[in-house]
Amino acid sequence: MKVTDVQVDTYLTGFARDYGYNTPDVFAADIIAPRRQVASSSYIYRSFGQEGLQAEISDAKAPKGGVNSVDYDVTKATGTIMTRALKILVDDEEIQQAVDPIKPMEDAVTFLTEQLNLRREIRVQTVANATSNSSAVTDWDNASGTPLADIATYKGAMLASIGRLPTHLLAAPHIWEELAVAKGLTDKTMYQPFWNALDATGRKISNMPILGLTPVSAGALYNSAQAGAAVTAAWVWGDAAYLIRVDGATHGLPWAIQPYVNDMVVTRWRDDEIGGWWIKIEHKIGFKEVTTGAIYEIDDVT
């Protein structure tokens, strides 16, 4: 293979980053695990306990300047981010037939970005799924289901566990759809908060809260079939609903999933023997569940 003209493509790098950040209706990872930059592949992450936050400590200052100290309950541990990368060949014939020669490269970057984001989504779901699951509940779209009561119960459980309430309610689109249908079958009062958060198809989620929680529709699908076999599509987030404590990327107290990311970089190089351009996307990423109890999985709600 004769390789020439190796370069970091700043345009395609920007294209990949913009695409990755603009798909929250598919990939929920950027919502529930906002990115934090790191300077190296090794890092320190913090797991915060609730004891120091909840403790009542006198803040009275003594006449001669004595001040009570606060025990900051935090555990430090080290982690490592891994390099993740994929590449694809865009051949000369495809470029020559395009009206705009850059379009085949943009399409290649879109495909690679989706692949990397899918794997990132699966890793975030794996971290969330590793928490202590709640008990299974009666299907929420069943006549005897009690979704609002279940959510309230596990909000209370999270408050008791970490001293903080969840901020987001996450579920795959098929769960939202079934709740939308159930609204016409059973107690409208029970399902009204869910219906208010949906459009007519049950797929588009608004920011209207459900019991104070921001709804998140995690629409990522993956194909588990072997190459050449029929597609076997499944929702990454399955049939469970998740209550998750999310804080902003710059917040001082991370709770549930702590990601460490170096943004995607696109490199391309010429392959004269094959006749085309190789497009490679690479980034470094790692995840840790930093506070046990900041994620509650409500099993099999549909």
Side-chain angles (χ1 to χ4, degrees):
M1 179 175 68
K2 185 179 179 182
V3 175
T4 60
D5 198 12
V6 179
Q7 58 184 281
V8 173
D9 193 304
T10 55
Y11 170 75
L12 291 178
T13 293
F15 185 86
R17 293 179 183 181
D18 288 344
Y19 183 86
Y21 279 112
N22 291 327
T23 52
D25 56 328
V26 178
F27 302 108
D30 273 327
I31 298 175
I32 64 170
R35 304 182 185 206
R36 290 171 172 81
Q37 295 291 334
V38 291
S40 65
S41 58
S42 297
Y43 58 87
I44 295 175
Y45 70 95
R46 294 181 172 185
S47 178
F48 290 88
Q50 74 273 27
E51 291 80 2
L53 295 172
Q54 263 61 56
E56 182 181 1
I57 301 172
S58 174
D59 57 1
K61 186 174 182 294
K64 292 186 178 182
V67 178
N68 287 329
S69 63
V70 177
D71 182 17
Y72 200 34
D73 182 26
V74 60
T75 300
K76 293 183 180 180
T78 58
T80 303
I81 57 176
M82 294 181 61
T83 299
R84 307 283 182 175
L86 292 170
K87 67 179 181 180
I88 193 170
L89 178 70
V90 182
D91 62 42
D92 289 339
E93 183 178 10
E94 185 179 358
I95 295 173
Q96 291 163 2
Q97 291 178 353
V99 175
D100 185 348
I102 197 64
K103 187 63 169 61
M105 293 191 181
E106 290 179 345
D107 291 343
V109 168
T110 296
F111 180 77
L112 293 177
T113 302
E114 286 220 353
Q115 290 290 318
L116 288 168
N117 280 343
L118 173 60
R119 282 154 180 78
R120 176 174 180 253
E121 187 84 1
I122 291 171
R123 286 191 291 273
V124 171
Q125 192 275 338
T126 299
V127 173
N129 194 57
T131 64
S132 298
N133 297 342
S134 72
S135 299
V137 298
T138 301
D139 288 356
W140 282 357
D141 59 341
N142 189 287
S144 59
T146 56
L148 295 183
D150 294 337
I151 292 169
T153 295
Y154 293 109
K155 281 181 64 177
M158 183 177 290
L159 181 64
S161 174
I162 67 170
R164 291 291 188 273
L165 286 167
T167 57
H168 290 66
L169 173 64
L170 179 148
H174 70 292
I175 294 175
W176 298 107
E177 291 170 0
E178 291 177 14
L179 288 170
V181 172
K183 186 253 184 180
L185 301 177
T186 185
D187 182 357
K188 292 186 178 182
T189 302
M190 179 187 301
Y191 289 94
Q192 192 67 43
F194 297 99
W195 186 253
N196 289 343
L198 309 175
D199 67 0
T201 67
R203 286 185 176 273
K204 183 179 179 181
I205 304 296
S206 74
N207 288 325
M208 183 171 289
I210 299 173
L211 292 185
L213 303 174
T214 299
V216 178
S217 180
L221 286 163
Y222 72 96
N223 174 27
S224 60
Q226 298 294 321
V231 172
T232 305
W235 299 108
V236 170
W237 291 88
D239 292 330
Y242 294 81
L243 304 183
I244 302 174
R245 174 76 191 186
V246 179
D247 286 317
T250 58
H251 197 285
L253 290 177
W255 289 104
I257 302 174
Q258 173 80 72
Y260 292 86
V261 179
N262 285 341
D263 266 323
M264 295 179 178
V265 175
V266 178
T267 305
R268 65 184 175 101
W269 61 90
R270 177 80 192 158
D271 189 326
D272 292 328
E273 290 184 4
I274 297 178
W277 288 87
W278 284 101
I279 308 290
K280 181 185 74 171
I281 301 183
E282 178 178 310
H283 69 158
K284 293 181 172 65
I285 192 165
F287 294 97
K288 292 289 183 181
E289 181 198 352
V290 297
T291 302
T292 302
I295 306 171
Y296 269 78
E297 179 183 345
I298 306 176
D299 292 332
D300 196 18
V301 299
T302 183

